[in-house]
Amino acid sequence: MLSPSLAQEIAGDTSAVIGFNVLITDAEGMVIGSGDSSRVGTFHEASVEVVRTQEAATHSAPEAQRLRGVRPGVTLPLVTDGRAVGTVGITGTPAQVRRFGLLVKRQTEILLRESVMLRSRLLSERAAEKLLADIAAYDPQVVEGDFLLFRAAELGFDLRLRRVAVAFEVTVPDPAARRRGAPTQDMALIRSELLRSVREVFADPQDIVAGTAPGWIGVLHRLPARRPTIALVADCRRVTDVIAAQDGLTARVGIGEPAASVSGLHDSYQDACDALRLGARSTDDSPVHLITDLRVHQVVAAVGQSARRRLLDLTAAELRAQPDWPALRDTVTAWCENGFSLVRASAALHIHRNTVVYRMQKIEQITGRPMRDHRATMALYLACLADRLGGG
């Protein structure tokens, strides 16, 4: 279907270029675009036969007078997928305008095909967005999983395949923080570019990629058999690197657990979002966060804030009173998350091992418990997580 807005744009621009009035009709012969705006909405009788035969027709002045709404010139069919969807006419002496006919016809058909492809792509994107949103909000008490399976199948996706949810969060720099003289960014263009960047990496026909909210992109990535998690992490890093190469943009990624059902994908997507949220508060400065590394954080976050505050008050009150509490907290966290290894903890903190030893001795002095007492240290570790999650 040739839209009137596109037809008017093509007719107006082409008329200005070639110097002859260009007129475009729909399949019923109604004028929907013309360099002479007074002709829009009128009937062009010659177009009816051109659409029927899909053959061009020329009309001299005497011939044009016998037809309703027709002026001297040439009329050509606009054909897409073997079907005439309208006509394009050029007003003037047939001998003068015939040489422009084929050129205008081909250019109009190209623009028409591009418009149809764009509309189809936009409809597909909207359908994918709706599908992903419905999976993210899935409630078996409200909608049956089979219904979403059917909807996905209509779009060419099999939700029974093993997949993993990946959530991207992209931060656009504040206008005040942008460098002087940098052009203002078009948010619609940014969104389109972000989707393209993600789709270039997650290019499997079964990968569902969609924008879920401003600055958020969700992916339900089909997991090939025996593909290691490290390969998925590498793909995510590639995306963040591409996004970071754009002016001032930053990206972080959350990765859920594999699943092969609607309910499982719902959980995986929620886990991916949790990984993003919790990863931002962890000591890990990587842009990619796996929920498998943050399960303890997730459990602590699920506990009410009053319980987290009580844990902090009873376990780490004296430590929190120290001016270097953030450093002590990070030391406890690194010690526990790196297998109670001095070497690995110092590497994770990017400090000398002697500094870690000093901090641990200070913690032991204040708490009265050795850091090798793993039960007490794990309670302290949970208190440190609670502090990072806002328990204090």
Side-chain angles (χ1 to χ4, degrees), residues 239-271:
V239 175
T240 60
D241 288 345
V242 170
I243 292 174
Q246 302 184 41
D247 186 26
L249 299 182
T250 57
R252 295 188 307 109
V253 190
I255 301 175
E257 297 271 19
S261 66
V262 172
S263 61
L265 288 172
H266 165 78
D267 292 341
S268 182
Y269 186 76
Q270 297 304 318
D271 280 346

Side-chain angles (χ1 to χ4, degrees), residues 175-250:
R178 293 173 56 78
R179 67 175 185 270
R180 184 174 298 178
T184 303
Q185 292 173 306
D186 185 320
M187 295 309 297
L189 181 60
I190 289 176
R191 182 180 183 278
S192 176
E193 285 297 310
L194 292 177
L195 285 170
R196 182 182 61 80
S197 297
V198 175
R199 288 191 177 112
E200 284 180 353
V201 175
F202 294 94
D204 189 296
Q206 282 293 321
D207 285 345
I208 303 173
V209 181
T212 57
W216 283 70
I217 296 174
V219 180
L220 297 181
H221 170 57
R222 186 184 76 84
L223 282 173
R226 296 183 298 279
R227 189 173 191 240
T229 302
I230 192 172
L232 175 58
V233 172
D235 285 344
C236 292
R237 285 185 178 276
R238 284 170 54 201
V239 175
T240 60
D241 288 345
V242 170
I243 292 174
Q246 302 184 41
D247 186 26
L249 299 182
T250 57

Side-chain angles (χ1 to χ4, degrees), residues 46-341:
S47 292
V48 176
E49 184 65 13
V50 171
V51 169
R52 187 185 70 80
T53 62
Q54 294 191 19
E55 293 183 0
T58 57
H59 304 92
S60 62
E63 292 171 330
Q65 287 180 346
R66 293 194 292 269
L67 297 171
R68 181 180 166 190
V70 178
R71 295 178 184 177
V74 59
T75 304
L76 304 99
L78 294 175
V79 181
T80 179
D81 294 331
R83 182 173 65 93
V85 296
T87 67
V88 58
I90 308 177
T91 302
T93 305
Q96 289 180 304
V97 299
R98 187 180 291 111
R99 57 198 174 104
F100 294 109
L102 189 57
L103 176 63
V104 174
K105 165 185 162 68
R106 286 182 175 172
Q107 185 65 27
T108 304
E109 287 175 342
I110 290 172
L111 292 173
L112 177 57
R113 280 195 298 272
E114 289 180 347
S115 174
V116 170
M117 289 174 61
L118 177 60
R119 188 179 299 112
S120 176
R121 186 164 64 250
L122 288 174
L123 289 174
S124 296
E125 286 184 3
R126 297 293 179 270
E129 287 176 9
K130 183 67 168 61
L131 177 63
L132 187 55
D134 287 346
I135 291 172
Y138 173 68
D139 182 347
Q141 301 299 320
V142 177
V143 62
E144 292 185 5
D146 287 346
F147 175 71
L148 292 181
L149 283 173
F150 175 76
R151 280 221 353 246
E154 285 187 317
L155 299 175
F157 302 121
D158 185 355
L159 296 185
R160 296 168 299 181
L161 297 176
R162 188 167 177 265
R163 300 170 181 270
V164 64
V166 182
F168 290 85
E169 181 187 30
V170 180
T171 303
V172 180
D174 184 83
R178 293 173 56 78
R179 67 175 185 270
R180 184 174 298 178
T184 303
Q185 292 173 306
D186 185 320
M187 295 309 297
L189 181 60
I190 289 176
R191 182 180 183 278
S192 176
E193 285 297 310
L194 292 177
L195 285 170
R196 182 182 61 80
S197 297
V198 175
R199 288 191 177 112
E200 284 180 353
V201 175
F202 294 94
D204 189 296
Q206 282 293 321
D207 285 345
I208 303 173
V209 181
T212 57
W216 283 70
I217 296 174
V219 180
L220 297 181
H221 170 57
R222 186 184 76 84
L223 282 173
R226 296 183 298 279
R227 189 173 191 240
T229 302
I230 192 172
L232 175 58
V233 172
D235 285 344
C236 292
R237 285 185 178 276
R238 284 170 54 201
V239 175
T240 60
D241 288 345
V242 170
I243 292 174
Q246 302 184 41
D247 186 26
L249 299 182
T250 57
R252 295 188 307 109
V253 190
I255 301 175
E257 297 271 19
S261 66
V262 172
S263 61
L265 288 172
H266 165 78
D267 292 341
S268 182
Y269 186 76
Q270 297 304 318
D271 280 346
C273 293
D274 281 352
L276 262 178
R277 178 173 57 89
L278 298 169
R281 302 180 183 183
S282 70
T283 56
D284 184 5
D285 57 0
S286 168
V288 182
H289 309 285
L290 290 88
I291 195 61
T292 51
D293 298 332
L294 297 165
R295 285 300 185 192
V296 175
H297 303 64
Q298 191 179 40
V299 171
V300 173
V303 176
Q305 188 174 22
S306 61
R308 295 203 301 267
R309 186 182 299 114
R310 182 170 170 78
L311 175 65
L312 265 171
D313 291 342
L314 296 176
T315 309
E318 293 182 340
L319 285 176
R320 293 182 71 222
Q322 301 300 310
D324 58 347
W325 160 242
L328 299 178
R329 180 190 61 196
D330 291 348
T331 302
V332 173
T333 302
W335 173 251
C336 294
E337 291 182 351
N338 289 278
F340 309 104
S341 165

